[in-house]
């Protein structure tokens, strides 16, 4: 399978920060990610890899047999993220995302795709993976803030059933922009579960063909 979601590790942080700089007007310092991975037991961060990308022209050895990897098979993501093993394939990371669990709410803190890999369904793959994690850790709702001008991201969230629930005025310090607050319905409701399964099936089909 070409696109693979992995748990973010400390070794991934330099590449994550590179992508973040390309994706956001303002960024976290690398130490913030390291702190999240090391100290925040409620945080879950993922990276998306493109297995076709190799570093220095050397094919990246598969980390585990292909047959063990399936879209949306995520139990391996739920361990802690403190590993410091060096990953040889940093260049293969093309996106990252994360959430915090707060009681029964999953708060999406970040989601970003490298600009060269957008509009292929991969941001959606990361969002669906975060929602899968939300289910696995017992969240009942998923929420996030998004810039009022960020229509691409808002469209993505609306596709997955997020609805506007208010504004945080001047939330973003770089330009004083307002944030739209968005929430899903209860993700365990039969209607949401069904919609989510349908979206994931369509996405698996789309990505399986790439
Ligand atoms: C938001 C982001 C992660 C989307 O990633 P992506 O891989 O390009 O998105 P996908 O190809 O998976 O698109 C999924 C859905 O998002 C919406 N979408 C994504 N890009 C869009 C665009 N340029 N215009 C309109 N809708 C868009 C669509 O609803 C799309 O569904 P569709 O393919 O059925 O039309 C990406 O644009 C990004 O990294 N942006 C910068 C960081 C950012 O703003 N993050 C969000 C912070 S709240």
């Amino acid at each position: 399978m070409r696109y693979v979601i992995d748990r973010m590790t400390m070794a991934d942080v330099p590449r994550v920060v590179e992508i973040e700089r390309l994706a956001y007007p303002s960024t976290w310092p690398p130490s913030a990610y390291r702190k999240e991975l090391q100290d925040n037991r409620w945080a879950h961060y993922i990276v998306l890899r493109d297995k076709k990308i190799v570093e220095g022209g050397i094919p990246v050895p598969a980390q585990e047999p292909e047959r063990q990897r399936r879209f949306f098979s995520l139990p391996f993501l739920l361990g802690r993220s403190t590993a410091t093993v060096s990953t040889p394939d940093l260049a293969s990371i093309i996106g990252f995302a994360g959430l915090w669990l707060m009681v029964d709410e999953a708060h999406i803190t970040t989601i970003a795709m490298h600009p060269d890999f957008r509009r292929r369904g991969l941001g959606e793959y990361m969002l669906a993976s975060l929602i899968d994690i939300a289910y696995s850790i017992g969240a009942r709702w998923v929420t996030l803030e998004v810039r009022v001008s960020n229509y691409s991201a808002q469209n993505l969230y609306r596709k997955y059933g997020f609805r506007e629930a208010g504004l945080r005025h001047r939330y973003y310090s770089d330009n004083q922009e307002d944030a739209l607050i968005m929430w899903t319905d209860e993700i365990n409701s039969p209607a949401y579960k069904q919609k989510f399964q349908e979206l994931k099936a369509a996405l698996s089909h789309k990505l399986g063909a790439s």
Side-chain angles (χ1 to χ4, degrees):
M1 199 173 71
R2 176 169 175 183
Y3 299 109
V4 166
I5 300 272
D6 276 326
R7 188 159 54 87
M8 189 189 293
T9 69
M10 297 293 237
D12 299 332
V13 170
R15 176 66 176 154
V16 164
V17 168
E18 248 176 64
I19 296 172
E20 192 194 32
R21 290 201 179 113
L22 298 171
Y24 288 115
S26 58
T27 55
W28 289 1
S31 57
Y33 283 102
R34 295 202 178 97
K35 203 164 160 39
E36 285 283 274
L37 297 178
Q38 225 159 13
D39 301 339
N40 186 350
R41 61 187 290 238
W42 307 113
H44 296 265
Y45 283 87
I46 57 174
V47 292
L48 174 67
R49 293 178 194 279
D50 180 350
K51 291 292 192 180
K52 277 203 175 160
I53 298 178
V54 294
E55 216 163 27
I58 303 161
V60 176
Q63 288 181 331
E64 58 182 282
E66 285 295 310
R67 67 188 139 71
Q68 287 179 18
R69 288 297 185 97
R70 294 281 180 272
F71 287 117
F72 307 117
S73 163
L74 295 174
F76 64 93
L77 289 174
L78 295 174
R80 290 307 306 140
S81 316
T82 51
T84 51
V85 292
S86 106
T87 44
D89 53 345
L90 270 192
S92 71
I93 296 174
I94 56 170
F96 67 94
L99 61 73
W100 291 343
L101 180 68
M102 292 182 190
V103 191
D104 50 10
E105 301 167 357
H107 290 245
I108 293 182
T109 54
T110 186
I111 177 165
M113 275 304 304
H114 189 291
D116 293 346
F117 294 87
R118 290 186 189 161
R119 301 284 7 215
R120 302 180 190 190
L122 297 172
E124 186 175 336
Y125 183 24
M126 292 197 296
L127 178 64
S129 301
L130 288 182
I131 296 171
D132 264 333
I133 290 174
Y135 276 111
S136 313
I137 59 181
R140 296 176 63 198
W141 292 274
V142 186
T143 183
L144 50 82
E145 281 101 16
V146 55
R147 287 176 192 260
V148 288
S149 65
N150 192 347
Y151 302 115
S152 319
Q154 287 168 31
N155 281 343
L156 169 61
Y157 303 142
R158 285 198 188 93
K159 185 169 179 180
Y160 276 73
F162 286 77
R163 286 200 280 241
E164 300 169 30
L167 275 184
R168 290 195 206 288
H169 291 288
R170 304 164 79 83
Y171 183 71
Y172 296 98
S173 54
D174 58 301
N175 66 351
Q176 310 302 314
E177 189 171 351
D178 293 345
L180 210 55
I181 306 165
M182 301 183 87
W183 285 85
T184 58
D185 290 336
E186 150 78 92
I187 59 176
N188 290 303
S189 68
Y192 192 89
K193 275 186 169 167
Q194 186 182 339
K195 182 186 168 92
F196 186 52
Q197 292 309 324
E198 287 168 5
L199 284 165
K200 284 202 308 182
L203 183 61
S204 292
H205 183 73
K206 178 174 173 176
L207 294 180
S210 61

